[in-house]
Amino acid sequence: MHTSLAWIDYLIMVIYFAFVLGIGFALKRFMKTSTDFFLSGRSIPAWVAGLAFISANLGAQEVIGMAASGAKYGISTAHFYWLGAIPAMVFVGLFMMPFYYGSRARSVPEYLRLRFDEKTRGLNAISFAAMTVFSSGASMYAMAKLIETLHIFDPLVQALGLPTSYIFHLSIVVSALITLGYVYLGGLTSAIYNEVLQFFLIVAGFFPLVYLGLKNVGGWDGLIAKCPPGFGHAWKGMTNPENNPLGVEWFALAMGLGFVLSFGYWCTDFLVVQRAMAADSMTAARRTPLIAALPKMIFPFLVILPGLIAVALPTPTAIEVPADGAKVVNAAEASGKGLIPAKVTSTGEVELDSTGKPVLDYDLAIPKLLIHYFPTGLLGLGLTALLASFMSGMAGNITAFNTVWTFDIYQAYIKPQASDKHYLWMGHFATLFGTVISIAAAYVAASFNNIMELLQLVFAFVNAPLLATFLLGMFWKRATANGAFYGLLSGIVAAALHHGLSLPGGSSPGVKGAWIYRLHDYRNEMAQNFWTAIWAFGVCLTVTVVVSLATRPRPDDELKGLVYSLTKHDVEHGLPWYRKPEVFGVVVVLLSIGLNILFR
Amino acid sequence: MNLDIRVPIGLLFLSLGGLLAGFGLVTHFSNPTMYARSLDINVNLWWGLVMIAFGAGMFYFGRRAVAASPEVPTPTEP
């Protein structure tokens, strides 16, 4: 397959680059204080913060990973949205935002310091900072790998007189430099504004793809008829892990994904919470995740359906000659499934698993589909949308990293009493070295075949216990600092132990699990991850409660505004009922339940 | 901050939409076979037009909001 890009495709990309950098330059003059740079001066309207909230999450792991999971598991991948994200987003908006925004904390770890103590904040800040640069590196790696596999930029690199293998390094350096550029110039505001722009661009790039794909396979019914059995149902067969494509049962799904992983991510991950913290009022901050939930609900159709369409299309078998050029089918494509090719070893042979079946490269679902349907022109837009998603995800990580580094590590432990100007300088510097570490991480993140599962693993170690800490901290005034710290620590250890003692099907002991002892086998990595999260959460919850009861509680006065029972509710009493976040939240939940029933 | 994000979004969609629609119009006559892969739909032209409409709306509402808000003086160097 040799699709190459024309001048118009490059021009679209260049215009996009010019706009994102232009926004950075336009905002540069507003970056006077650390509040401007790290918190957008708390001046962002709710709809902008809301779209940035969802867009910051819409990185490589989302677009590529969700389509890959769609191709692997079918529409049940939508559980990540309708069971996972939506209820969690409603919860963070209605119940947790009053404490994040109301406490005037500048970051999630800083809330932990206000509610608990310094060591709990330190543990969270350091693990979170490590996680963000790692995620951003994994995202960059995924993008560079994709671009390399597609071979669409080969003529460009050859024209520059470089070997085609340089496309990997070039993709990383160019995308990192542009993202670094606009975040460095305009701080969080620039990241947020660009995330909104990228949000619309991603929709513009993928909507025609889904439209053409669905039209081609004969609508929804045609799609499901051409997909493997079970791909059209999200809930069918959930009573037994053997009977559904996900390989998990309803308890692990609802508890692991629906509760621990999703609430852990959306309610405690500073990457998304930071967007709401930048909102211009408490009401706007509470609305941010709710506004985000609306597009989030329809995103499965944009990012998961391409995976199903890619599987439903006929596998290329012979040499085809479409009207606009010769197309040679290679072995990798012929032994794939639908449009999804098999993986190829470094010697150019099709990779086989232990049972002799070809290993499929699911991450290529969206890019293959783009090349399949989009003509010159729209192809440029589609690729730009893909680049936009990588950049919005990366910028989200970088802005979260520079804030946590500057406020929760540098200001807390390295240089506490410096001027605001100094911390502003450190923010710029952290943006720079955060990017450099991410690039280093990109070269490390190479041994997993599905990015989503890799990231879930990291989230499970770090985030899953965190949810218990926040829930107890915000809703149980008896929870103490020592309880939180030792609970969090034992939760992370529990996650690591569980991972070290269990193994997903088809893997050998090592990085995928069972690196201590092979005690239990799961059907796949997803089941293992869900249970890792459940164990981490349960252990953290138990240890926090036990240690809290054995230690002295903080007086109520100190916890005002930090704990639910000691904080004034109903901050929006001036609003008519239909504008209250609570009503909005209920509507969102009902819509989500409706989608679950529709695709049961 | 007197930069309304709808203005740059509007401008980006107007330029990309215009580019795609123009390219679609030209290739509609010069190279119609290139649309075989997109089910014989001239997606460049149609989607370009949709993007122009969206961009125009964004630009209009963004400009209106900027015009309505009180003029914020550009900060000067301290």
Side-chain angles (χ1 to χ4, degrees), chain A residues 3 6-8 11-12 15-16 19 23 26-27 29-32 36 40-41 43 47-48 189 193-194 196-197 200-201 203-205 207-208 211-213 215-216 323-324 370-379 381 384 421, chain B residues 1-24 27 31-48 50-51 54 58 72-78:
Chain A
T3 306
W7 60 270
I8 185 166
L11 185 58
I12 289 172
I15 293 176
Y16 163 72
F19 267 85
I23 289 175
L27 292 168
R29 63 201 168 111
F30 298 110
M31 297 298 122
K32 293 290 170 203
D36 297 332
S40 299
S43 65
W47 75 271
V48 174
T189 315
Y193 277 14
N194 273 312
V196 176
L197 182 121
F200 287 113
L201 204 58
V203 175
F207 185 85
Y211 174 79
L212 289 174
K215 194 174 156 66
N216 191 199
D324 58 344
L370 284 176
I371 291 175
H372 184 76
Y373 284 123
F374 280 6
T376 298
L378 205 59
L379 184 60
L381 184 73
T384 307
K421 213 177 170 130
Chain B
M1 242 168 268
N2 56 1
L3 175 72
D4 191 305
I5 184 58
R6 282 170 289 190
V7 175
I9 292 176
L11 288 174
L12 177 69
F13 273 74
L14 280 173
S15 28
L16 293 186
L19 197 61
L20 279 179
F23 185 70
T27 47
N31 188 11
T33 50
M34 70 180 268
Y35 295 106
R37 63 173 62 206
S38 55
L39 317 176
D40 286 317
I41 301 170
N42 188 337
V43 278
N44 282 337
L45 178 60
W46 290 112
W47 198 241
V50 172
M51 286 176 73
F54 176 79
M58 274 293 195
V72 182
T74 309
T76 46
E77 290 296 326

Side-chain angles (χ1 to χ4, degrees), chain A residues 443-456:
Chain A
Y443 283 91
V444 175
S447 56
F448 278 73
N449 70 349
N450 196 323
I451 314 149
M452 193 65 198
E453 276 154 334
L454 169 69
L455 290 177
Q456 292 247 293

Side-chain angles (χ1 to χ4, degrees), chain A residues 78-123:
Chain A
H79 282 311
F80 282 92
Y81 292 73
W82 301 332
L83 180 70
I86 304 296
M89 288 162 94
V90 172
F91 185 81
V92 69
L94 295 187
F95 298 106
M96 293 175 82
M97 213 43 84
F99 309 108
Y100 281 138
Y101 198 86
S103 68
R104 307 306 279 178
R106 296 169 299 180
S107 66
V108 166
E110 192 162 72
Y111 171 81
L112 284 180
R113 183 180 64 79
L114 296 172
R115 173 63 183 87
F116 296 118
D117 64 353
E118 193 57 60
K119 61 178 182 297
T120 313
R121 183 252 281 263
L123 178 63

Side-chain angles (χ1 to χ4, degrees), chain A residues 14 29 143 212-213 229 292 299 391 538:
Chain A
V14 169
R29 63 201 168 111
M143 180 211 52
L212 289 174
F299 259 64
M391 286 187 178

